[in-house]
């Protein structure tokens, strides 16, 4: 498959989606009895397995370089280390810890717990992508998705490195937490000591991450975007959000362009009742990538009545195109506001062809 047949971001992203599942399997479904094993050796064994089971996939994609030219092996290896490898380690540590907590449960309840561990974060990601303007996602188990595969030449960024630093911190915490649970089960510490220890262990990484995640760039939402695009202009059926750095002249011209295109498109598509459309105008692709994802790709989320564009200097080349996506919501599917069969099978030919 194009893009997935060489060691680069796309292959590493696909491999991460598999290692999130397999890594957690290795940690959660290990067969050794908790009481009979040394916790240090058990942790080492599980983490070693989570690394070694990725070996064949790395070997295959490296051998495939004999027939498909790779652009940048260094970046490919960095992506492999920072995405599937760390996700597999995290999944194994997560599975190991929760297996210790749920070992006395019956098999069906263990299966439910495992499914919650693996698919709970994924459901949260999809829910946030649906209800918030952002199109990127950072997750400790499922890795990193930048929001658009149209943007080429992806590299391991400082933001991804910092985020994976938090993941490694979580792995350490989970391993220490597993040792505490093991000590409690073998009667080496009391239940009160266990609860106190787990509270202290988990509050540090989760608290730090929660406090600084927006400033560090691996989480964003509507409130954070609108705080950075603090200039708000409302006119008719439009709400336009500008950065403070935009000049008054550029702002006036873009407002006029929005108003003109919206009116022309409404007449052409014979639309009368239209909910207010929010247009988020970013000062540069870099700011757009940091706040909502997709650096060079301008997008619309029709079901949210919003578009996201960059380039403040008029005339804007993509503005009318994105406005069509937002307007077409009035006759699109109820769930996504676009041409789609059964609400979710999007027909991109019609969606983009119309615009």
């Amino acid at each position: 498959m194009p893009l997935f047949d060489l060691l680069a971001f796309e292959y590493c992203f696909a491999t991460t989606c598999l290692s999130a599942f397999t890594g957690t399997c290795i940690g959660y479904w290990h067969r050794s009895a908790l009481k009979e094993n040394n916790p240090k050796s058990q942790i080492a064994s599980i983490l070693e397995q989570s690394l070694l089971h990725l070996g064949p996939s790395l070997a295959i994609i490296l051998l495939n370089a004999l027939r498909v030219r790779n652009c940048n092996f260094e970046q490919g290896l960095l992506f492999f280390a920072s995405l599937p490898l760390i996700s597999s380690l995290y999944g194994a540590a997560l599975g190991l810890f929760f297996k210790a907590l749920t070992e006395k449960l019956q098999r069906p309840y263990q299966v439910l717990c495992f499914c919650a561990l693996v698919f709970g974060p994924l459901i949260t990601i999809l829910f946030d992508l649906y209800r918030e303007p952002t199109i990127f996602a950072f997750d400790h188990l499922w890795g990193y998705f930048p929001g658009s595969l149209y943007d080429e030449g992806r590299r391991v960024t400082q933001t991804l490195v910092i985020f994976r630093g938090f993941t490694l911190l979580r792995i350490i915490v989970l391993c220490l937490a597993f040792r505490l649970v093991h000590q409690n089960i073998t009667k080496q510490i009391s239940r009160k000591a266990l609860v106190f220890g787990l509270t202290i262990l988990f509050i540090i990484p989760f608290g730090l991450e929660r406090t600084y995640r927006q400033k560090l760039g691996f989480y964003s939402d509507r409130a954070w975007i609108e705080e950075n695009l603090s200039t708000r202009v409302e006119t008719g059926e439009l709400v336009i959000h500008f950065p403070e750095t935009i000049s008054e002249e550029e702002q006036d011209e873009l407002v006029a362009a929005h108003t003109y295109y919206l009116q022309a498109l409404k007449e052409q598509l014979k639309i009368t009742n239209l909910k207010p459309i929010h247009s988020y105008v970013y000062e540069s692709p870099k700011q757009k990538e940091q706040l909502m994802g997709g650096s060079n790709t301008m997008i619309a989320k029709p079901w949210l009545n919003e578009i996201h564009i960059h380039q403040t200097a008029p005339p804007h080349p993509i503005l009318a195109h994105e406005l069509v996506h937002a307007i077409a919501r009035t006759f699109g599917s109820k769930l996504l506001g676009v041409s789609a069969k059964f609400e979710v099978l999007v027909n991109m030919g019609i969606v983009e062809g119309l615009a």
Side-chain angles (χ1 to χ4, degrees):
M1 292 178 63
L3 298 180
F4 291 91
D5 58 356
L6 71 160
L7 186 59
F9 167 76
E10 291 80 9
Y11 177 79
C12 294
F13 169 74
T15 309
T16 305
C17 292
L18 298 175
S19 68
F21 181 82
T22 57
T24 311
C25 277
I26 288 170
Y28 196 83
W29 297 114
H30 64 94
R31 295 184 179 182
S32 54
L34 189 60
K35 291 183 180 179
E36 300 173 2
N37 285 276
N38 184 319
K40 284 186 179 180
S41 62
Q42 197 165 344
I43 291 169
S45 174
I46 294 298
L47 294 182
E48 182 183 2
Q49 289 177 50
S50 71
L51 291 178
L52 291 177
H53 95 288
L54 292 175
S57 67
L58 181 59
I60 288 169
I61 201 65
L62 288 174
L63 286 172
N64 204 46
L66 296 173
R67 53 181 291 275
V68 177
R69 186 169 65 88
N70 280 239
C71 304
N72 193 327
F73 269 118
E74 179 186 352
Q75 283 297 311
L77 289 170
L78 285 173
F79 270 125
F80 195 87
S82 58
L83 292 180
L85 190 147
I86 294 182
S87 283
S88 182
L89 282 172
Y90 177 71
L94 189 70
L96 183 65
F97 171 67
F98 276 94
K99 179 59 181 292
L101 291 180
T102 61
E103 190 173 40
K104 293 182 179 180
L105 293 178
Q106 294 179 355
R107 183 80 171 189
Y109 295 110
Q110 288 185 345
V111 172
L112 285 175
C113 180
F114 172 78
C115 291
L117 283 179
V118 175
F119 299 110
L122 182 60
I123 292 170
T124 302
I125 292 169
L126 295 175
F127 182 68
D128 282 343
L129 291 177
Y130 183 78
R131 70 185 179 95
E132 295 290 350
T134 48
I135 60 172
F136 72 84
F138 285 87
D139 184 76
H140 295 286
L141 184 61
W142 292 92
Y144 163 63
F145 179 65
S148 172
L149 294 178
Y150 293 142
D151 297 331
E152 298 178 347
R154 294 211 167 272
R155 305 177 72 85
V156 174
T157 63
Q158 183 180 3
T159 303
L160 180 57
V161 171
I162 294 172
F163 178 75
R164 278 325 205 178
F166 277 100
T167 307
L168 291 173
L169 181 59
R170 282 193 177 200
I171 293 169
I172 294 169
V173 166
L174 286 166
C175 292
L176 293 174
F178 170 75
R179 292 194 63 182
L180 281 177
V181 174
H182 183 276
Q183 289 176 335
N184 176 256
I185 291 175
T186 55
K187 309 300 181 183
Q188 295 178 29
I189 64 169
S190 66
R191 189 170 185 82
K192 287 184 178 179
L194 172 67
V195 173
F196 178 76
L198 291 179
T199 302
I200 295 299
L201 276 176
F202 283 103
I203 203 169
I204 296 172
F206 284 91
L208 284 172
E209 184 181 331
R210 184 81 182 183
T211 303
Y212 297 106
R213 60 181 181 169
Q214 290 179 321
K215 292 181 180 179
L216 291 173
F218 44 81
Y219 179 79
S220 184
D221 56 15
R222 183 174 284 99
W224 180 246
I225 292 171
E226 292 184 2
E227 183 179 328
N228 283 269
L229 303 180
S230 55
T231 303
R232 177 183 173 118
V233 177
E234 296 188 34
T235 170
E237 295 165 318
L238 285 161
V239 181
I240 310 173
H241 305 264
F242 292 107
E244 288 184 348
T245 53
I246 190 173
S247 68
E248 194 171 325
E249 181 182 358
E250 288 177 332
Q251 180 178 307
D252 291 342
E253 290 201 36
L254 277 169
V255 170
H258 276 78
T259 305
Y260 169 76
Y261 283 131
L262 183 63
Q263 184 59 36
L265 291 168
K266 282 176 61 182
E267 291 177 3
Q268 189 170 2
L269 295 173
K270 297 180 174 60
I271 294 172
T272 53
N273 297 321
L274 189 65
K275 293 182 179 179
I277 294 172
H278 285 252
S279 175
Y280 295 86
V281 182
Y282 303 83
E283 65 181 4
S284 65
K286 183 178 179 181
Q287 185 193 39
K288 184 166 169 288
E289 181 179 27
Q290 291 172 342
L291 292 178
M292 67 85 57
S295 58
N296 294 308
T297 306
M298 303 188 213
I299 70 130
K301 284 196 168 182
W303 64 94
L304 296 178
N305 275 356
E306 60 189 37
I307 66 173
H308 297 265
I309 60 176
H310 56 264
Q311 182 179 322
T312 56
H316 198 284
I318 309 295
L319 173 58
H321 178 100
E322 299 303 336
L323 281 173
V324 173
H325 288 313
I327 293 172
R329 177 186 183 277
T330 57
F331 50 85
S333 66
K334 293 180 180 179
L335 185 64
L336 298 174
V338 296
S339 175
K341 187 179 290 187
F342 309 119
E343 295 294 323
V344 293
L345 301 178
V346 178
N347 189 324
M348 292 303 296
I350 294 179
V351 173
E352 294 299 333
L354 175 67

